[in-house]
Amino acid sequence: MFNRIKEDITCVFDRDPAAQSVFEVITTYPGFHAVLIHRLSHFCWLAGFRWLARFIAHIGRWLTGIEIHPGAVIGRRFFIDHGMGVVIGETAVIGDDCTLYHGVTLGGTSWDKGKRHPTLHNGVVVGAGAKVLGPIDIGENARVGSNSVVLKPVPAGVTVVGIPAHVVDPKSKVATAERDKIAYKMGFSAYGATTDMPDPIAYAINHMLDHIHAMDNQIETLQKALNDAGIKYPETPISKLDGCEIEDGYDEDEL
Ligand SMILES: CC(C)(COP(=O)(O)OP(=O)(O)OC[C@H]1O[C@@H](n2cnc3c(N)ncnc32)[C@H](O)[C@@H]1OP(=O)(O)O)[C@@H](O)C(=O)NCCC(=O)NCCS
């Protein structure tokens, strides 16, 4: 038991650069106090002393501002930073090495009895103010951005953000950068048009840009193949996208 308490103290140093000494953690970290009190209340809960368990948890809430139901199952090296406003429901399950910040709710979405709170697998981090609701699984080492509202299961290792939370896709960053380059060439600004804000017009334009880019590449390849085969391809002059040059024959006043 003392080993577990020791782990609960030492894990603070890995996750809070502000922590300076063991004495400081023991005396001033409400997250540590809440976990310690929960270990006791959970023991009473399992032993069948339900009222006592609830009362101990209630005192813990008074002292720390962190409400953990004694029925919640919490793994090793659990750290709640700052803590105020954290709520952890009765049927929540938290794996090892998880971290919560202040204002996090691991709550239910129904009044039915039975499993109604989330399960956090090992190494999950839930940012300040995030709400994780329902009997959903948050996969190993997943990260929940602050103030997100998570209502669906989260795969292992990903980051989710937003309301409702969605997975941050690293591939989308590359696609967006490519589109930005083409849009810049064409003098089009796609600001505000991200996958998070699917403005239908910007969405359509983004796909047209992708399509134009693919056609450009195909034409270039075809031209090269024709030239290599000795076929003279009559090139039609196309205005340069990056220079915004005005083609001959246009009246400048009309533009
Ligand atoms: C989500 C988090 C874990 C970072 O994860 P990450 O995998 O490193 O993600 P990144 O920082 O690369 O961000 C990925 C994208 O999500 C966005 N994002 C990050 N956190 C977000 C949030 N809470 N809400 C909305 N979008 C968010 C970023 O802007 C970025 O968007 P972009 O790709 O368009 O630039 C971190 O931002 C977070 O919220 N940590 C909790 C910290 C906390 O609560 N601290 C309180 C201390 S008191």
Side-chain angles (χ1 to χ4, degrees), residues 82 101-102 127-128 143 145-146 159 161 168 173:
H82 308 292
Y101 289 92
H102 51 285
R143 310 206 284 175
S146 47
T159 298
V161 297
V168 176
K173 274 194 184 175

Side-chain angles (χ1 to χ4, degrees), residues 141-153:
N141 297 321
R143 310 206 284 175
V144 177
S146 47
N147 285 331
S148 305
V149 178
V150 187
L151 300 161
K152 290 185 181 155

Side-chain angles (χ1 to χ4, degrees), residues 45-62:
W45 184 263
L46 293 181
F49 300 109
R50 298 265 161 128
W51 177 86
L52 182 62
R54 291 291 312 249
F55 189 66
I56 293 169
H58 189 55
I59 290 173
R61 182 174 175 274
W62 271 353

Side-chain angles (χ1 to χ4, degrees), residues 167-209:
V167 174
V168 176
D169 180 5
K171 276 184 279 167
S172 70
K173 274 194 184 175
V174 179
T176 306
E178 192 59 39
R179 279 180 189 153
D180 284 351
K181 263 199 279 176
I182 306 161
Y184 178 74
K185 271 176 92 178
M186 296 184 76
F188 169 71
S189 167
Y191 292 146
T194 70
T195 48
D196 307 348
M197 292 183 281
D199 171 349
I201 295 171
Y203 183 80
I205 291 175
N206 273 337
H207 279 81
M208 280 161 55
L209 289 173

Side-chain angles (χ1 to χ4, degrees), residues 181-182 184-187 239-245:
K181 263 199 279 176
I182 306 161
Y184 178 74
K185 271 176 92 178
M186 296 184 76
S239 63
K240 282 187 181 163
L241 296 174
D242 46 358
C244 293
E245 285 173 9

